[in-house]
Every structure is written in C-alpha cells, then in structure tokens.
C-alpha cells in the first residue's frame, strides 16, 4: 500500500489523516494485523507525529469508531430535521440507519472490525462507543415517538422510557451476530445463521409491541443481511513465523 507523501498539516487535518489511514488498514488487514508502523507508513508520519495525537493503537481504534458514530449522527440529523414525513416513516428511517451504514461502508471489513471490537481487551472501548451512540440517538428517537403518539400512530404511555428501551434493544442482535461471524465456514454455520435471523426478527417484533404497532411494521431494513454476513470470509489464522 503506497504511503501518503508527508506534508505540513494543521493538527486537526493530521489527526483526520491518521484516522482515515487507520480505518483503511483496519478494514483491509484487520485490527490485529495492523501495526502502528503500518499507519505511519501509509500516512507518511513520524512516530512523534503519531503519538502527538494518539497514545496507542487502541486509542486510534476508538478514534475510528468515534468517526463512524459521527457519520451515523449525521444521518440521524437528517431524520430529525424531516418535518413532513409521518412518525411511522421517520421510525422506519431511524431503524434502518444501522443497516444502511453497514451496506454502504465495506461490510466485509466491518464484520472483521466488529469481531475484533468484541474481544475481551476491547470491551471497555466498545461499551464507551455504544454509550456515545445511545446518548446521541435518544433525543432523535424521543422526538419521533412523541410525534407518533401525537398523531395517534403509536400507543405508548411513557415516551422517554420507550425510546431508552428501543435503543437498549438496538444491540440485542450483537451476540447472535458475533456467534454467526465466528461460525462461518464451520458445521455450525447454518444453525448460527438461523439464530441470527431469529434475533433480528425478535428485536423488531419487540419494537412493534413497545409502540403498539402491528407485528411486522418495523424491520432491520436489509433482508439479505444474514446471507451476506455468512458469505464474508473469516480472517486467516495468525502467522506462526
């Protein structure tokens, strides 16, 4: 991979460059097989330049995740600013945000990224990321649910609690997704794929019932998600050399 020619940049530009290079490498090589030196080589940055912005590779990883969260927040802002659509249409747009992001941003690379983030050593970072996303999403979803109650489309007694519960459910499929990813290429793959689809269906059935909607009203927004997930390639075993 060709390195970026070194040039003077403002601190915020250099940080953004490092994050962009890290995301390319994490998605293409995997987090574990990417070294800080790989990032330095691609960015054309010295070690001193790197450590001025990031203390470690783990901190760089969280910076990439933070950028991904900002991308999702920008999509949420579009949904939140829509004053013409019905609450039900806004809810569908909101619940499809995750699927849309995954589909549009190198899904095979993100599968590997998700697997790495769920390793024990990264769970604190992962929880911080999830908390940040939930905090940013709560005002948007609360506004949608309040609009739906005002329109008579949603039957819900406590708007704030409903929003918090739905956002808590947003990570419900993660364990089933991790198991499916780990089962790729094994005899357990079909069973894990079935369980992942069941988790997705149950998550959105629960959202429908929280809001008093007919079963099947909401969905993940990507019917092929399970098949596409199982078709991604597991990473090669680490080298023993």
């Amino acid at each position: 991979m060709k390195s970026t020619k070194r040039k003077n940049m403002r601190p915020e530009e250099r940080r953004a460059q490092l994050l962009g290079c890290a995301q390319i490498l994490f998605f293409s090589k995997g987090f574990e097989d990417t070294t800080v030196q790989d990032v330095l080589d691609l960015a054309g940055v010295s070690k001193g330049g790197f450590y001025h912005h990031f203390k470690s590779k783990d901190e760089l990883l969280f910076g990439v995740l933070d950028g991904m969260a900002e991308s999702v927040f920008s999509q949420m802002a579009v949904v939140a600013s829509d004053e013409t659509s019905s609450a039900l249409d806004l809810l569908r747009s909101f619940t499809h945000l995750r699927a849309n992001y995954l589909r549009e941003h190198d899904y095979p690379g993100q599968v590997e990224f998700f697997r790495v983030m769920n390793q024990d050593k990264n769970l604190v970072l992962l929880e911080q990321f999830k908390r940040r996303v939930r905090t940013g999403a709560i005002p948007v979803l609360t506004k949608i649910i309040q609009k739906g109650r005002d329109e008579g489309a949603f039957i819900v007694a406590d708007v704030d609690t409903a929003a918090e519960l739905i956002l808590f459910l947003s990570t419900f499929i993660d364990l089933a997704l991790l198991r499916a990813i780990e089962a790729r290429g094994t005899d357990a793959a079909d069973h894990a794929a079935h369980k992942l689809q069941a988790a997705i269906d149950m998550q959105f059935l629960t959202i429908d019932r929280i809001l008093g909607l007919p079963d099947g009203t909401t969905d993940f927004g990507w019917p092929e998600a399970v098949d596409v997930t199982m078709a991604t390639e597991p990473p090669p075993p680490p080298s023993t050399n």
Side-chain angles (χ1 to χ4, degrees), residues 9 24 26 34 105 110 138 141 155 159 183 189 199:
M9 291 183 178
I24 290 170
F26 290 164
T34 297
H105 293 83
Q110 290 196 70
I138 281 176
L141 185 55
I155 303 170
V159 170

Side-chain angles (χ1 to χ4, degrees), residues 95-102 114 170-171 173-174 177 220:
T95 57
H96 291 175
L97 285 174
R98 181 177 184 180
N100 290 342
Y101 185 91
L102 293 173
F114 177 84
S170 67
T171 58
I173 66 172
D174 285 0
L177 175 57
F220 186 55

Side-chain angles (χ1 to χ4, degrees), residues 26-71:
F26 290 164
F27 280 15
S28 61
K29 296 183 63 174
F31 177 74
E32 292 171 326
D33 290 334
T34 297
T35 66
V36 169
Q37 189 62 50
D38 290 333
V39 178
L40 300 183
D41 292 342
L42 183 59
V45 176
S46 67
K47 285 187 178 180
F50 175 86
Y51 288 110
H52 176 73
H53 296 283
F54 302 100
K55 295 178 181 177
S56 65
K57 191 173 77 166
D58 283 346
E59 187 173 299
L60 183 64
L61 173 63
F62 188 70
V64 171
L65 287 171
D66 205 45
M68 293 167 64
E70 287 296 335
S71 178

